[in-house]
Each structure stands twice: as structure tokens, then as C-alpha cells.
Amino acid sequence: MKADNLMYDVAIVGLGPAGSTLARLLDSSLKVAAIDRKRLDGASGGFQKPCGGLLAPNAQKALVESGLNLPSSLLVDPQIFAVKTMDLVSGQIRYYQRYYLNIDRHRFDLWLASLIKPGVKIFDQAECRTIVPNRNAGGYDLTFVKGGRLWTITARQVIGADGSSSLVRRAFCPTPIRRYLCLQETFPGHLREPYGCFFDPRITDCYGWINNKEGQLILGAALPLEKQSAEKPRERFEAVKEALRPFGYRFYGAPLGATEAALVSRPASWRQIALGVEGGIFLVGEAAGLVSPSSLEGISYALASASLLSRILNRDPAKPQKLYRRAIRPLRWRILMRLLKSPFMFQPSLRRLVMLSGWLSLSDVSLSGLD
Ligand SMILES: Cc1cc2nc3c(=O)[nH]c(=O)nc-3n(C[C@H](O)[C@H](O)[C@H](O)COP(=O)(O)OP(=O)(O)OC[C@H]3O[C@@H](n4cnc5c(N)ncnc54)[C@H](O)[C@@H]3O)c2cc1C
């Protein structure tokens, strides 16, 4: 069934940080529709993105550049000034100073969506199913399920802001990208420790994390997808808990709530970044593969890519895809830098050398002074 008889200029699939930022920054002269599976009225229930909820300095910068300050109501206790880095095989521990903001990720998403101008037509609690060219209309038909019914809208340009499992990317630019399965569990309790990240090649060639949020302890790990046929991710995740015991971490009993699971993109090269195709298809944020391969930090890339694309679409130039590719170059370079840094974090022998040297680490951390 047709949701309306409009021909939208832009249809955005996904209202995470990338989609909401784009929807907010697009000119009000453009007819814009957005589809997201989340519940955006603030009521409980519905889809929530599993995430570490840390805003890195680049994300803070991207927020400022897109004209926003962060309301303190989105911050959660405690704030983070250091990362405890652990090599679970060698037993090495180092502390590094970092400036992350610890936030409630779902509240952050709802806040960004609340800033979208009233002129944008939002279909929330809606799952986009198909996007097919409509040559007669000179655009695309997007079909989605909402309230148990199938709806269609038509748009001249489609933006894939739909994250790591992007339907838009799969349909129009199926460049493969390396992805990991992230599992996260929440436990009662609080640690007199800063945010922790750990490395263990027996479990993953990426990393895992331990964080405090509002008196609860969050344990997460990014597990390689290709190894899972041999070993189940659940077993690997349980192995994480065992491997952390000698470091003083105890995860007793059942977690609070279900285990959260989500895919995260981790580009292995520049080629895995896909920005769209000529003819009105664009990808932003994680759908494009714009995620740090070293830290899995993706919010800054989501905000920045959406902001860059909005400036191009607002001008309606003749070759928007070409301009977008050019505009995104600094983000590509940033990813290249992270790719070059990765061996020093993820190759066990290089990591041990770096940790042994103490380079850039805090030398005198008194745990009794941390709370
Ligand atoms: C466990 C985990 C921890 C992470 N921790 C951090 C962190 O601490 N800091 C950080 O910067 N990054 C972190 N990341 C990465 C970060 O979450 C993403 O890179 C970032 O959210 C990307 O934003 P986005 O808007 O591009 O996509 P997303 O935030 O994934 O948003 C995509 C949106 O699209 C919607 N959607 C998807 N498909 C459809 C569909 N078919 N129909 C309708 N709606 C759809 C979803 O509902 C969602 O709202 C983490 C990722 C994971 C998995």
C-alpha cells in the first residue's frame, strides 16, 4: 500500500547517529522521509542498538562541527579518563590516558532523532524490506513493514544509514567488508577500575571491553565471524570470563537481561569502504564501512559523514556522488592511519613490545586512588 502520494527528494533508511544527523541537517526545502525500526517516542521496548556508548574525542569534535552541545542528561556515571589495557596471555597491564565521554547510547540516539525538523516524515518502528528502482518515477520504491502492514514510498535519492547489516549496501554496492559479532552482558556491581580493554588471540583477533555504567558492569567482546563455524561464539564468550579471572574480574551468576548481540564492521582495507553508486544511492556511517579498525569507534564517522553528505545534497549539484567521495577523503585517511596502527595493537609480539616499552602509558597508577 502506498504510504502517501509524494515523491520524496531523499529517503533515509536508519535513524542512528548518521541518519538522524543527516535528517536534521538537510535543507527544509527538500522533501525528506526516514524509516527506522526503533521506537522513537521514548517509551520502553523496541529495538535498541547494543553499543559501548563511549564518545571519543573525534565524536565530540564532530558533534560540535554539526552545531551541537551534549546535554548532561545523556552522561552516565562514571566518566572515563584512562583505559586499562590487558594482554590476557602475557599478563601485561598498562594504563593509557584517554578522554571518552561515557553516555547512555539509546538516550543519545533518541536525543539526536528528537532534533530532526518537523518537516521530515518519520516512519518509526518500521522495517525496510526492499528498495527497487522505479524508472517511471525516476527514483526508487522503498517497501517497509509497519504495524503489521506493508507500505511503499518513492524517493529520488536513497541514503543507507542502516548500520553494519545495511540493506541499502547489500542491494546496491555489495562490496564485502570484514565484520565481527559483538556480544555484551551486564552484571550487577561496580569496579574501582577505569574502563578496561583486553586482548587474547585464543579468543579473538580483535578485542574485548569492561565498562561501568550507572553501577552496572558491562562485559563485551568482538568475535571474528569466520572462526565461529568451528567454535560457538557463546563458548568463546564464556572463555573470556575465565581468562579474566586471574586479573581479578569475577562474573558470577546470570547477567542482568539477555546477552546483547550485534555485528560491527571493521574495514580491513580502504577498498571495503563503499559510499554508494551513481543514480542517487549514498551510504553514510557504518553502512559505508566507516568505523575505526583499531578501536571499533564508529559514532564520530557516522556524525561526520552525514554532515558532509548533507552539505552536498543541500546544493543539489550535478555529480553529488563524485563530490561525496572527495569530501569523505579525510575520513578515509583517518581509517588508513588506524589500519597502520592496528598491528601494534593486535599482533601479539608487537603489542607486547609496545606494552613492555611503556610508551605513552601512565607510569604511576595507584589503584587505591581510583574509584
Ligand atoms: C557492541 C558494540 C559496541 C560499540 N561501541 C562503540 C563505542 O563505544 N563508541 C563508538 O563510537 N562506536 C561504538 N560502536 C560502533 C557504533 O555503534 C557504530 O559505528 C555507530 O552506531 C554507527 O552509527 P550509524 O548511524 O551509522 O549506524 P547505527 O547506529 O547502527 O544505526 C543504524 C540504524 O538503522 C536502523 N536500521 C537498520 N536496518 C534497518 C532496516 N532494514 N529498516 C529500518 N531501520 C533499520 C537501526 O534501527 C538503527 O537505528 C560499537 C558497536 C558495537 C556493535
Side-chain angles (χ1 to χ4, degrees), residues 12-20 35-38 40 47-56 59 100-101 105 109 123 125-129 144 160-168 170 180-184 195 207 209 211 213 220-221 260-265 284-288 290-292 295-303 305:
I12 303 171
V13 184
L15 286 176
S20 288
I35 302 168
D36 192 281
R37 59 162 89 99
K38 280 197 299 281
L40 295 174
F47 174 77
Q48 297 196 10
K49 164 97 183 181
C51 182
L54 296 183
L55 278 189
Y100 294 128
L101 293 175
R105 171 61 202 262
D109 280 4
F123 301 95
Q125 299 180 78
E127 170 98 24
C128 190
R129 291 284 171 83
F144 57 94
D162 45 351
S164 58
S165 304
S166 172
L167 171 72
V168 183
R170 269 182 282 134
Y180 285 69
L181 176 68
C182 294
L183 295 182
Q184 265 197 166
Y195 172 81
Y207 80 105
W209 55 91
N211 194 12
K213 275 188 200 278
E260 293 180 299
L263 292 175
V264 69
S265 304
V284 284
E286 193 162 340
L290 295 166
V291 176
S292 162
S295 65
L296 304 181
E297 186 273 316
I299 296 176
S300 70
Y301 295 92
L303 298 171
S305 57

Side-chain angles (χ1 to χ4, degrees), residues 62-227:
L63 269 181
V64 175
E65 284 172 348
S66 76
L68 294 176
N69 288 316
L70 192 75
S72 58
S73 57
L74 303 181
L75 298 178
V76 294
D77 188 52
Q79 289 306 303
I80 294 164
F81 305 114
V83 174
K84 178 182 182 182
T85 303
M86 293 167 274
D87 184 315
L88 301 192
V89 177
S90 70
Q92 285 168 301
I93 298 178
R94 287 278 176 196
Y95 293 84
Y96 296 91
Q97 192 169 15
R98 291 288 181 272
Y99 304 98
Y100 294 128
L101 293 175
N102 200 6
I103 58 161
D104 182 310
R105 171 61 202 262
H106 187 55
R107 290 212 302 264
F108 178 69
D109 280 4
L110 294 184
W111 169 66
L112 285 176
S114 75
L115 303 173
I116 299 171
K117 292 173 211 117
V120 174
K121 177 73 187 164
I122 295 178
F123 301 95
D124 76 340
Q125 299 180 78
E127 170 98 24
C128 190
R129 291 284 171 83
T130 59
I131 304 159
V132 289
N134 178 337
R135 295 194 205 292
N136 292 337
Y140 300 87
D141 284 339
L142 292 90
T143 306
F144 57 94
V145 177
K146 180 174 166 68
R149 296 172 73 176
L150 212 53
W151 303 89
T152 305
I153 57 168
T154 307
R156 199 161 53 84
Q157 301 176 99
V158 177
I159 319 297
D162 45 351
S164 58
S165 304
S166 172
L167 171 72
V168 183
R169 181 172 176 138
R170 269 182 282 134
F172 296 97
C173 13
T175 315
I177 184 160
R178 181 175 60 168
R179 293 189 302 170
Y180 285 69
L181 176 68
C182 294
L183 295 182
Q184 265 197 166
E185 284 182 352
T186 303
F187 296 86
H190 181 76
L191 273 183
R192 285 168 61 87
E193 291 272 342
Y195 172 81
C197 75
F198 54 85
F199 300 89
D200 188 336
R202 297 166 300 188
I203 294 164
T204 176
D205 59 358
C206 194
Y207 80 105
W209 55 91
I210 305 162
N211 194 12
N212 278 308
K213 275 188 200 278
E214 306 286 51
Q216 294 181 343
L217 197 61
I218 296 162
L219 172 69
L223 305 167
L225 280 172
E226 65 272 19
K227 288 193 182 162

Side-chain angles (χ1 to χ4, degrees), residues 259-276:
T259 306
E260 293 180 299
L263 292 175
V264 69
S265 304
R266 186 183 181 214
S269 78
W270 261 15
R271 291 210 184 119
Q272 298 191 342
I273 297 168
L275 299 173

